[in-house]
Amino acid sequence: MDDVSGTTAVILAGGLGTRLRPVVADRPKVLAEVDGVPFVFHLLAQLAAAGVKHVVLSTGWLGEQVRDTVGAAFGPIDIEYAQEPSPLGTGGAIRRTLPLVRSHVLFVLNGDSYCDVDLASLWLWHHQRAAHGTLALARVDDARRYGTVETDAYGRIHRFVEKSSLRRAGTVNAGLYLLRRTLVASIPPGQALSLERDLLPGWLDAGIYGFARSERFIDIGTPESLAGAAGFFRKPGTRRARAARPRRNRRRTSAALTLTAEVA
């Protein structure tokens, strides 16, 4: 059985980012800067700190910018790319990465959110329950944008509750998953599908669990939430990306800015 270091992580970086266009119009939203660094590097720093060695970036609109910025490596992580020929939604994008996945389970991270969770603990918890899929869950003061997730005492998800216009606290899907490869293989290839709307509700009977161990969560999907993310990665204890000296990556043809994972 793989461990965290042998588990491929997929970062979904192919969204059109239409809500963010008023403030980030010239790049994919994973390249929007938060605390002085493109957001995708904070996700890579989290994965590197957990020991992940292989990442697939699923790219779409302006995907070449992501490839040019990130390159073929981030510290110890090897990076590959799966470029969408047309928008496939989160579910279709994950399915397209499958030929590049090297493990029997895979982490999946939304490219516009960050859940400050211990990935090794999530991985172990998932396998202890023989789960088909595990979602990282976060508690937020205002769940209107997300909808909420209901679990039983053992953590098994039994219902996704639609978004509400009422402001109230709730437990939400934090956009970080651990999924069995066989579950991803069941997604019809080449179809535009939403993981959240089209797939997850139908997978509940198979055994999908919620790992509610995160106290800190942000997303950058709107101008307001992007502005509100400022300072998140400067807080003590947060895994963050820190600029180091530029070096030439031998697997690339141009100089790259090396970024290292740092825990404050």
Side-chain angles (χ1 to χ4, degrees), residues 56-119:
V56 179
L57 272 163
S58 173
T59 55
W61 180 68
L62 299 180
E64 67 280 359
Q65 288 192 22
V66 180
R67 186 185 292 263
D68 290 345
T69 300
V70 177
F74 177 93
I77 296 177
D78 290 327
I79 298 174
E80 296 184 272
Y81 293 84
Q83 173 70 32
E84 297 176 55
S86 59
L88 290 173
T90 48
I94 295 168
R95 179 63 177 84
R96 186 172 173 79
T97 69
L98 195 60
L100 299 176
V101 172
R102 302 173 184 174
S103 49
H104 80 289
V105 294
L106 57 150
F107 287 112
V108 177
L109 289 78
N110 286 351
D112 60 356
S113 61
Y114 185 101
C115 179
D116 196 9
V117 66
D118 184 327
L119 297 180

